[in-house]
Amino acid sequence: ELNPTFLFMWKGTRVEDEPNYHCHEHLELCYIQSGTGKHRIGDTIYEVKEGDLLVINEGVYHQSLAGEHKTPVAEFYVGLTDLNLAGLGRNHFPLPGNCPVFRTEGELQRKLSKLCMAMEAEQELCRIGRYYMMKTYAMQMLLLLLPLHTAQTAPFFLLPFYPYGLLPQNLLLLLRLLP
């Protein structure tokens, strides 16, 4: 079911290695807003750069590393729980080729950047309904990662939406219309 609980968002600039190699009982998204660095996820160290989106599933050990040059890396984190997609474990999002790093560019990168800025602004405003806006933005991030094709090529866990005419493109539109 694509109805996660929004936990948090955090934005920071990293110039040193994260002190602990750790895991969580929730799904974590990490969008690299600027800079270059490394992330140790599981047994692999990934080079990351501006526009990369890391999906860290529940129970996966990870650590943000500053890299050799210790250049600042602006990271934007979102935490979600209660994500239950058919055929996948709790708080697990499908990873193409088992790679947790989504390399984004062009329109997708612009949309993800815009969602991060919207979440940041929403966090600062502290308006009534903030939780639901943050949840909606986080869900849009997840939906942008899914292939936006027809029902024949869509991910199996979205198929329950199709009888109601809610193709992934329509789901995105619906989420943008929420208050």
Side-chain angles (χ1 to χ4, degrees), residues 130-174:
R130 177 179 65 169
Y131 168 82
Y132 296 103
M133 291 301 294
M134 300 293 268
K135 177 178 175 172
T136 299
Y137 294 138
M139 288 175 64
Q140 286 182 59
M141 291 177 86
L142 292 176
L143 287 169
L144 284 171
L145 298 180
L146 300 174
L148 300 177
H149 300 294
T150 63
Q152 291 79 20
T153 59
F156 60 93
F157 48 82
L158 280 181
L159 290 177
F161 292 115
Y162 295 131
Y164 307 102
L166 291 175
L167 295 170
Q169 299 91 324
N170 296 342
L171 282 172
L172 282 173
L173 178 62
L174 178 64

Side-chain angles (χ1 to χ4, degrees), residues 55-75:
V55 176
I56 305 164
N57 285 320
E58 177 179 314
V60 174
Y61 278 84
H62 60 282
Q63 179 182 25
S64 179
L65 306 170
E68 296 87 34
H69 305 294
K70 305 281 187 198
T71 58
V73 180
E75 300 173 331

Side-chain angles (χ1 to χ4, degrees), residues 31 33 51 53 76 104-119 137-138 140-146 148 168-169 172-173 176:
Y31 183 70
Q33 292 185 303
L53 179 67
F76 187 91
T104 72
E105 56 186 26
E107 187 63 21
L108 177 57
Q109 186 174 348
R110 282 188 291 282
K111 287 179 179 181
L112 288 169
S113 293
K114 198 171 171 181
L115 285 168
C116 291
M117 288 187 288
M119 289 179 87
Y137 294 138
Q140 286 182 59
M141 291 177 86
L142 292 176
L143 287 169
L144 284 171
L145 298 180
L146 300 174
L148 300 177
Q169 299 91 324
L172 282 173
L173 178 62
R176 286 189 192 110

